[in-house]
Amino acid sequence: MSSFNKHIVSIIFLIILLLHNSTQSHSHSHNHTKRIRTRRSASPPVTSATFNTSHTEFSAQQFMKWVNFVGRLRHSLFEAAINKLFPSYTLTVSKNPNTGDFTTIQSAIDSLPFINLVRVVIKIKPGTYTEKVNIPPFKSFITIEGAGADKTIVQWGDTAKTIGSKGQPLGTYSSATFAVNSPYFIAKNITFKNTTPLPTRGAMGVQAVAFRISADTAAFLGCRFLGAQDTLYDHFGRHYYKDCYIEGSVDFIFGNALSLFEGCHVHAIAQNYGALTAQGRKSLLQDTGFSFVNCKVTGSGALYLGRAWGSFSTVIFAYTYMDNIIIPKGWYNWGDPNREMTVFYGQYKCTGPGASYAGRVSWSRELTAEEAKPFLSLSFIDGSEWVKL
């Protein structure tokens, strides 16, 4: 490696190390423990010397493993734009060990370098994969591709009150069947499911997340998200959902992300009352919200379009069909009248028996064309810069 390249590598390493420390600080401030796995196939056996290695030396070792990995693939450090568009290599997961590289999704993810900056496609063959999956913060540019949402299913059954390895309840955040903590994630043609049954009315601690996305720039095409309470944790970042199916009962699309749902089918399975969204925007300064465009809302029970989880909760529906399950008021203030002055809830040219604006709460809006325009396209999530399906 030339001295110039070594200099560039050193600079990149320092930047990544700073980002690593920043991420850990953010993690501790939210009391979230993120387990970061090293590459099993390339790492030497763990010895007592490993534990005596300083944090900086360990990070440097992992970074150099990534440099060598990229060198073997003959990729330039400066081809990030190409890596977003074209897969560098493909891994296959199959329940039959004779037809795939791995038999579990997590083992395929664990095989990647500690820091991954090249596009990796993980193709998952038909089958039901009963496992809990976690993608750590530095394993970016991963594509998970199933054989069809009705053929490839990832499922698990944790709830917020499930006791974890430390003897404490997992909480909603850690109940997810599939959790993504790294940017530039893509999922195609696969089902993410939490198998916890529909909770009884008034039950506590039964939040059961099927999928949690806690990173920027993620896209989903033709995916299904199945659960009951808190199905899809749209935690933070910019996200794009295209032609997806999302099923649940209470707050089953929730979080504080900036997300566009286009052509999606949202289906309620509430036995009594339910809520479609619980968007968590907390401040006027936060640029977050949910936009549903050309979608369909069907199901059972009596459904609020949204509950004001955050004081500045922001949700709009445009060109969306709504079945007659929608409660006429449409929206709920989470028991806090003060939120009625700060939330932004709106509809634009929606259809169906549940779309009538008559009876809606006075603090929601029937949007004009000018008001609706910022919510209707990929520009809402800066998608033209990063959506590559």
Side-chain angles (χ1 to χ4, degrees):
M1 185 182 291
S2 70
S3 60
F4 174 77
N5 285 339
K6 287 181 179 178
H7 181 63
I8 293 298
V9 167
S10 298
I11 293 174
I12 295 174
F13 166 65
L14 289 174
I15 292 172
I16 291 177
L17 185 58
L18 288 172
L19 289 173
H20 175 55
N21 292 335
S22 174
T23 302
Q24 286 199 330
S25 297
H26 173 79
S27 175
H28 290 310
S29 68
H30 288 273
N31 295 319
H32 296 156
T33 301
K34 295 184 175 71
R35 180 185 304 167
I36 300 178
R37 299 179 174 88
T38 57
R39 188 184 181 194
R40 289 182 179 175
S41 58
S43 300
V46 176
T47 65
S48 60
T50 304
F51 292 101
N52 294 327
T53 304
S54 71
H55 177 76
T56 300
E57 290 172 336
F58 176 75
S59 298
Q61 291 170 2
Q62 296 301 322
F63 178 73
M64 289 313 299
K65 286 181 181 180
W66 171 76
V67 171
N68 293 331
F69 173 81
V70 170
R72 287 198 304 272
L73 292 178
R74 298 183 180 181
H75 286 285
S76 165
L77 294 174
F78 307 102
E79 289 181 344
I82 294 177
N83 290 328
K84 295 175 191 177
L85 294 172
F86 303 105
S88 296
Y89 64 100
T90 299
L91 302 175
T92 301
V93 176
S94 173
K95 297 183 74 66
N96 182 348
N98 296 321
T99 60
D101 302 307
F102 303 90
T103 57
T104 68
I105 302 166
Q106 189 65 60
S107 61
I109 292 166
D110 290 345
S111 75
L112 301 180
F114 176 81
I115 300 171
N116 183 70
L117 295 177
V118 294
R119 175 61 64 185
V120 179
V121 176
I122 300 177
K123 292 192 174 183
I124 308 174
K125 294 197 171 184
T128 298
Y129 296 80
T130 303
E131 59 175 305
K132 194 175 175 79
V133 180
N134 180 76
I135 298 180
F138 294 113
K139 296 194 177 184
S140 306
F141 300 104
I142 291 177
T143 295
I144 298 291
E145 186 174 339
D150 58 337
K151 297 177 181 177
T152 305
I153 300 167
V154 188
Q155 66 177 26
W156 197 252
D158 281 344
T159 69
K161 65 181 180 181
T162 298
I163 302 301
S165 59
K166 296 184 178 181
Q168 299 294 323
L170 290 174
T172 303
Y173 178 91
S174 297
S175 71
T177 296
F178 201 113
V180 176
N181 304 285
S182 57
Y184 294 104
F185 174 79
I186 298 174
K188 298 180 179 181
N189 307 320
I190 188 169
T191 290
F192 304 101
K193 183 178 182 179
N194 191 305
T195 59
T196 301
L198 189 68
T200 58
R201 188 171 184 179
M204 303 295 291
V206 289
Q207 296 90 341
V209 177
F211 190 95
R212 173 175 56 79
I213 172 66
S214 301
D216 195 24
T217 53
F220 306 85
L221 175 64
C223 296
R224 293 195 304 171
F225 304 87
L226 306 181
Q229 184 170 339
D230 293 6
T231 302
L232 174 58
Y233 194 172
D234 200 48
H235 189 196
F236 68 82
R238 292 167 295 173
H239 309 144
Y240 179 55
Y241 300 84
K242 173 70 172 175
D243 299 333
C244 292
Y245 176 90
I246 307 158
E247 181 178 283
S249 59
V250 178
D251 304 335
F252 57 100
I253 302 176
F254 74 108
N256 195 22
L258 179 68
S259 297
L260 175 64
F261 298 80
E262 186 175 7
C264 294
H265 183 182
V266 181
H267 186 75
I269 56 172
Q271 293 178 336
N272 297 295
Y273 290 91
L276 197 164
T277 66
Q279 204 280 330
R281 187 182 180 207
K282 299 175 179 63
S283 163
L284 187 63
L285 299 178
Q286 289 186 332
D287 185 15
T288 66
F290 299 161
S291 177
F292 295 82
V293 180
N294 290 315
C295 292
K296 179 168 62 173
V297 181
T298 62
S300 61
L303 193 70
Y304 285 107
L305 292 172
R307 300 201 298 166
W309 189 27
S311 300
F312 287 78
S313 183
T314 299
V315 183
I316 75 103
F317 290 85
Y319 303 111
T320 291
Y321 173 87
M322 299 179 185
D323 213 342
N324 59 3
I325 61 171
I326 305 301
I327 295 171
K329 290 183 177 181
W331 310 91
Y332 180 62
N333 63 14
W334 207 275
D336 182 2
N338 292 324
R339 301 187 184 196
E340 298 175 6
M341 297 182 287
T342 52
V343 299
F344 187 94
Y345 290 148
Q347 292 179 213
Y348 180 68
K349 293 189 175 181
C350 292
T351 59
S356 174
Y357 195 71
R360 291 286 192 262
V361 293
S362 61
W363 35 278
S364 68
R365 312 175 188 220
E366 181 73 19
L367 303 178
T368 64
E370 183 177 359
E371 290 172 333
K373 186 176 180 180
F375 297 90
L376 301 182
S377 68
L378 283 174
S379 62
F380 176 62
I381 54 173
D382 308 315
S384 60
E385 299 175 9
W386 58 270
V387 173
K388 309 292 181 184
L389 291 175

